[in-house]
Amino acid sequence: GMAAPTMEERKACWGARDEFWQCLDSHGDDAAKCEKLRRAFESRCPQQWVKHFDKRRDFLKYKKKLETEGYHPPEAAGKS
């Protein structure tokens, strides 16, 4: 398997992730504008982490959306 990243490597990975996410935040999630940072993020982080952080970001965005727009349960079906 892959050796666990050192503390230095983890810091490099987190730094790259934070820069990439900040870029996405300031460009309304336009990934094309953050291409360079995305590549840095992918090259500095283990692939598993990249997958995990991508999922995490989607989750955080979803949560923020719920917090700002409120949760709207779907209308109960077949109610007349």
Side-chain angles (χ1 to χ4, degrees):
M2 210 186 72
T6 63
M7 192 61 210
E8 283 307 301
E9 288 168 335
R10 288 205 295 269
K11 281 187 179 147
C13 168
W14 294 330
R17 174 204 61 189
D18 292 346
E19 282 180 22
F20 174 54
W21 283 12
Q22 270 174 347
C23 177
L24 288 177
D25 287 342
S26 59
H27 290 101
D29 275 321
D30 183 349
K33 295 231 171 38
C34 307
E35 187 83 37
K36 269 202 208 71
L37 292 172
R38 171 81 198 181
R39 282 202 295 269
F41 167 51
E42 287 179 353
S43 69
R44 290 196 187 127
C45 299
Q47 173 121 52
Q48 279 308 103
W49 292 26
V50 170
K51 284 201 190 103
H52 167 77
F53 288 139
D54 283 346
K55 280 204 197 84
R56 174 128 186 93
R57 182 168 170 86
D58 286 342
F59 170 73
L60 292 172
K61 268 171 34 190
Y62 173 70
K63 233 179 77 167
K64 190 183 258 174
K65 191 173 141 92
L66 289 185
E67 282 162 13
T68 51
E69 296 171 17
Y71 175 65
H72 306 294
E75 285 297 311
K79 181 178 69 175
S80 55

PDB file of all heavy atoms in Angstrom, residues 10-25:
ATOM      1  N   ARG A  10       1.356  16.242   4.529  1.00  0.00           N
ATOM      2  CA  ARG A  10      -0.045  16.527   4.881  1.00  0.00           C
ATOM      3  C   ARG A  10      -0.302  18.027   4.837  1.00  0.00           C
ATOM      4  O   ARG A  10      -1.321  18.472   4.320  1.00  0.00           O
ATOM      5  CB  ARG A  10      -0.364  15.984   6.274  1.00  0.00           C
ATOM      6  CG  ARG A  10      -0.443  14.466   6.308  1.00  0.00           C
ATOM      7  CD  ARG A  10      -1.312  13.960   7.431  1.00  0.00           C
ATOM      8  NE  ARG A  10      -0.770  14.272   8.746  1.00  0.00           N
ATOM      9  CZ  ARG A  10       0.052  13.480   9.428  1.00  0.00           C
ATOM     10  NH1 ARG A  10       0.446  12.321   8.910  1.00  0.00           N
ATOM     11  NH2 ARG A  10       0.489  13.830  10.618  1.00  0.00           N
ATOM     12  N   LYS A  11       0.654  18.799   5.385  1.00  0.00           N
ATOM     13  CA  LYS A  11       0.485  20.260   5.371  1.00  0.00           C
ATOM     14  C   LYS A  11       0.438  20.786   3.942  1.00  0.00           C
ATOM     15  O   LYS A  11      -0.355  21.673   3.630  1.00  0.00           O
ATOM     16  CB  LYS A  11       1.635  20.932   6.120  1.00  0.00           C
ATOM     17  CG  LYS A  11       1.459  20.889   7.630  1.00  0.00           C
ATOM     18  CD  LYS A  11       2.546  21.732   8.294  1.00  0.00           C
ATOM     19  CE  LYS A  11       2.405  21.744   9.802  1.00  0.00           C
ATOM     20  NZ  LYS A  11       3.725  21.820  10.461  1.00  0.00           N
ATOM     21  N   ALA A  12       1.288  20.242   3.086  1.00  0.00           N
ATOM     22  CA  ALA A  12       1.303  20.673   1.684  1.00  0.00           C
ATOM     23  C   ALA A  12      -0.041  20.358   1.040  1.00  0.00           C
ATOM     24  O   ALA A  12      -0.602  21.165   0.293  1.00  0.00           O
ATOM     25  CB  ALA A  12       2.434  19.994   0.928  1.00  0.00           C
ATOM     26  N   CYS A  13      -0.556  19.172   1.348  1.00  0.00           N
ATOM     27  CA  CYS A  13      -1.839  18.744   0.795  1.00  0.00           C
ATOM     28  C   CYS A  13      -2.956  19.668   1.277  1.00  0.00           C
ATOM     29  O   CYS A  13      -3.738  20.180   0.482  1.00  0.00           O
ATOM     30  CB  CYS A  13      -2.117  17.307   1.206  1.00  0.00           C
ATOM     31  SG  CYS A  13      -3.814  16.752   0.876  1.00  0.00           S
ATOM     32  N   TRP A  14      -3.021  19.895   2.584  1.00  0.00           N
ATOM     33  CA  TRP A  14      -4.093  20.739   3.122  1.00  0.00           C
ATOM     34  C   TRP A  14      -4.000  22.164   2.593  1.00  0.00           C
ATOM     35  O   TRP A  14      -5.012  22.798   2.315  1.00  0.00           O
ATOM     36  CB  TRP A  14      -4.065  20.736   4.656  1.00  0.00           C
ATOM     37  CG  TRP A  14      -4.396  19.403   5.239  1.00  0.00           C
ATOM     38  CD1 TRP A  14      -5.211  18.432   4.705  1.00  0.00           C
ATOM     39  CD2 TRP A  14      -3.913  18.863   6.487  1.00  0.00           C
ATOM     40  NE1 TRP A  14      -5.260  17.333   5.544  1.00  0.00           N
ATOM     41  CE2 TRP A  14      -4.480  17.569   6.638  1.00  0.00           C
ATOM     42  CE3 TRP A  14      -3.069  19.354   7.489  1.00  0.00           C
ATOM     43  CZ2 TRP A  14      -4.223  16.760   7.748  1.00  0.00           C
ATOM     44  CZ3 TRP A  14      -2.817  18.545   8.586  1.00  0.00           C
ATOM     45  CH2 TRP A  14      -3.380  17.265   8.717  1.00  0.00           C
ATOM     46  N   GLY A  15      -2.781  22.649   2.474  1.00  0.00           N
ATOM     47  CA  GLY A  15      -2.588  24.009   1.945  1.00  0.00           C
ATOM     48  C   GLY A  15      -3.112  24.107   0.522  1.00  0.00           C
ATOM     49  O   GLY A  15      -3.798  25.061   0.160  1.00  0.00           O
ATOM     50  N   ALA A  16      -2.771  23.094  -0.288  1.00  0.00           N
ATOM     51  CA  ALA A  16      -3.215  23.079  -1.687  1.00  0.00           C
ATOM     52  C   ALA A  16      -4.735  22.980  -1.753  1.00  0.00           C
ATOM     53  O   ALA A  16      -5.380  23.652  -2.560  1.00  0.00           O
ATOM     54  CB  ALA A  16      -2.564  21.912  -2.429  1.00  0.00           C
ATOM     55  N   ARG A  17      -5.306  22.162  -0.888  1.00  0.00           N
ATOM     56  CA  ARG A  17      -6.761  22.009  -0.850  1.00  0.00           C
ATOM     57  C   ARG A  17      -7.413  23.343  -0.479  1.00  0.00           C
ATOM     58  O   ARG A  17      -8.373  23.774  -1.128  1.00  0.00           O
ATOM     59  CB  ARG A  17      -7.151  20.947   0.181  1.00  0.00           C
ATOM     60  CG  ARG A  17      -8.653  20.824   0.379  1.00  0.00           C
ATOM     61  CD  ARG A  17      -9.004  20.237   1.730  1.00  0.00           C
ATOM     62  NE  ARG A  17      -8.532  21.071   2.817  1.00  0.00           N
ATOM     63  CZ  ARG A  17      -8.546  20.718   4.095  1.00  0.00           C
ATOM     64  NH1 ARG A  17      -8.963  19.522   4.457  1.00  0.00           N
ATOM     65  NH2 ARG A  17      -8.110  21.533   5.037  1.00  0.00           N
ATOM     66  N   ASP A  18      -6.897  23.986   0.560  1.00  0.00           N
ATOM     67  CA  ASP A  18      -7.492  25.254   1.003  1.00  0.00           C
ATOM     68  C   ASP A  18      -7.432  26.317  -0.087  1.00  0.00           C
ATOM     69  O   ASP A  18      -8.397  27.054  -0.300  1.00  0.00           O
ATOM     70  CB  ASP A  18      -6.790  25.763   2.266  1.00  0.00           C
ATOM     71  CG  ASP A  18      -7.079  24.866   3.474  1.00  0.00           C
ATOM     72  OD1 ASP A  18      -8.014  24.027   3.390  1.00  0.00           O
ATOM     73  OD2 ASP A  18      -6.392  25.004   4.494  1.00  0.00           O
ATOM     74  N   GLU A  19      -6.294  26.392  -0.785  1.00  0.00           N
ATOM     75  CA  GLU A  19      -6.172  27.378  -1.859  1.00  0.00           C
ATOM     76  C   GLU A  19      -7.159  27.073  -2.975  1.00  0.00           C
ATOM     77  O   GLU A  19      -7.789  27.973  -3.528  1.00  0.00           O
ATOM     78  CB  GLU A  19      -4.748  27.384  -2.422  1.00  0.00           C
ATOM     79  CG  GLU A  19      -3.784  28.135  -1.537  1.00  0.00           C
ATOM     80  CD  GLU A  19      -2.368  28.126  -2.111  1.00  0.00           C
ATOM     81  OE1 GLU A  19      -2.210  27.928  -3.343  1.00  0.00           O
ATOM     82  OE2 GLU A  19      -1.421  28.308  -1.333  1.00  0.00           O
ATOM     83  N   PHE A  20      -7.268  25.802  -3.304  1.00  0.00           N
ATOM     84  CA  PHE A  20      -8.197  25.391  -4.357  1.00  0.00           C
ATOM     85  C   PHE A  20      -9.633  25.734  -3.953  1.00  0.00           C
ATOM     86  O   PHE A  20     -10.389  26.329  -4.727  1.00  0.00           O
ATOM     87  CB  PHE A  20      -8.032  23.896  -4.628  1.00  0.00           C
ATOM     88  CG  PHE A  20      -9.034  23.325  -5.590  1.00  0.00           C
ATOM     89  CD1 PHE A  20      -9.217  23.877  -6.850  1.00  0.00           C
ATOM     90  CD2 PHE A  20      -9.795  22.226  -5.239  1.00  0.00           C
ATOM     91  CE1 PHE A  20     -10.150  23.344  -7.740  1.00  0.00           C
ATOM     92  CE2 PHE A  20     -10.728  21.687  -6.123  1.00  0.00           C
ATOM     93  CZ  PHE A  20     -10.906  22.241  -7.375  1.00  0.00           C
ATOM     94  N   TRP A  21     -10.011  25.392  -2.726  1.00  0.00           N
ATOM     95  CA  TRP A  21     -11.371  25.666  -2.261  1.00  0.00           C
ATOM     96  C   TRP A  21     -11.657  27.161  -2.198  1.00  0.00           C
ATOM     97  O   TRP A  21     -12.748  27.606  -2.524  1.00  0.00           O
ATOM     98  CB  TRP A  21     -11.610  25.001  -0.891  1.00  0.00           C
ATOM     99  CG  TRP A  21     -11.844  23.522  -0.996  1.00  0.00           C
ATOM    100  CD1 TRP A  21     -11.650  22.736  -2.091  1.00  0.00           C
ATOM    101  CD2 TRP A  21     -12.315  22.642   0.039  1.00  0.00           C
ATOM    102  NE1 TRP A  21     -11.970  21.427  -1.793  1.00  0.00           N
ATOM    103  CE2 TRP A  21     -12.374  21.339  -0.503  1.00  0.00           C
ATOM    104  CE3 TRP A  21     -12.682  22.852   1.372  1.00  0.00           C
ATOM    105  CZ2 TRP A  21     -12.802  20.246   0.247  1.00  0.00           C
ATOM    106  CZ3 TRP A  21     -13.097  21.751   2.113  1.00  0.00           C
ATOM    107  CH2 TRP A  21     -13.157  20.461   1.556  1.00  0.00           C
ATOM    108  N   GLN A  22     -10.666  27.943  -1.780  1.00  0.00           N
ATOM    109  CA  GLN A  22     -10.860  29.399  -1.722  1.00  0.00           C
ATOM    110  C   GLN A  22     -11.094  29.937  -3.117  1.00  0.00           C
ATOM    111  O   GLN A  22     -11.931  30.808  -3.333  1.00  0.00           O
ATOM    112  CB  GLN A  22      -9.634  30.082  -1.113  1.00  0.00           C
ATOM    113  CG  GLN A  22      -9.724  30.220   0.388  1.00  0.00           C
ATOM    114  CD  GLN A  22      -8.430  30.760   0.993  1.00  0.00           C
ATOM    115  OE1 GLN A  22      -7.374  30.811   0.347  1.00  0.00           O
ATOM    116  NE2 GLN A  22      -8.499  31.149   2.251  1.00  0.00           N
ATOM    117  N   CYS A  23     -10.323  29.402  -4.066  1.00  0.00           N
ATOM    118  CA  CYS A  23     -10.490  29.813  -5.456  1.00  0.00           C
ATOM    119  C   CYS A  23     -11.911  29.489  -5.927  1.00  0.00           C
ATOM    120  O   CYS A  23     -12.586  30.326  -6.505  1.00  0.00           O
ATOM    121  CB  CYS A  23      -9.452  29.116  -6.330  1.00  0.00           C
ATOM    122  SG  CYS A  23      -9.614  29.495  -8.085  1.00  0.00           S
ATOM    123  N   LEU A  24     -12.365  28.272  -5.639  1.00  0.00           N
ATOM    124  CA  LEU A  24     -13.730  27.894  -6.029  1.00  0.00           C
ATOM    125  C   LEU A  24     -14.753  28.820  -5.388  1.00  0.00           C
ATOM    126  O   LEU A  24     -15.698  29.263  -6.041  1.00  0.00           O
ATOM    127  CB  LEU A  24     -14.018  26.443  -5.614  1.00  0.00           C
ATOM    128  CG  LEU A  24     -13.320  25.345  -6.408  1.00  0.00           C
ATOM    129  CD1 LEU A  24     -13.661  23.985  -5.813  1.00  0.00           C
ATOM    130  CD2 LEU A  24     -13.717  25.383  -7.879  1.00  0.00           C
ATOM    131  N   ASP A  25     -14.549  29.116  -4.098  1.00  0.00           N
ATOM    132  CA  ASP A  25     -15.487  29.989  -3.394  1.00  0.00           C
ATOM    133  C   ASP A  25     -15.552  31.356  -4.061  1.00  0.00           C
ATOM    134  O   ASP A  25     -16.625  31.920  -4.232  1.00  0.00           O
ATOM    135  CB  ASP A  25     -15.078  30.163  -1.925  1.00  0.00           C
ATOM    136  CG  ASP A  25     -15.346  28.908  -1.102  1.00  0.00           C
ATOM    137  OD1 ASP A  25     -16.141  28.048  -1.560  1.00  0.00           O
ATOM    138  OD2 ASP A  25     -14.763  28.782  -0.013  1.00  0.00           O
TER     139      ASP A  25
END
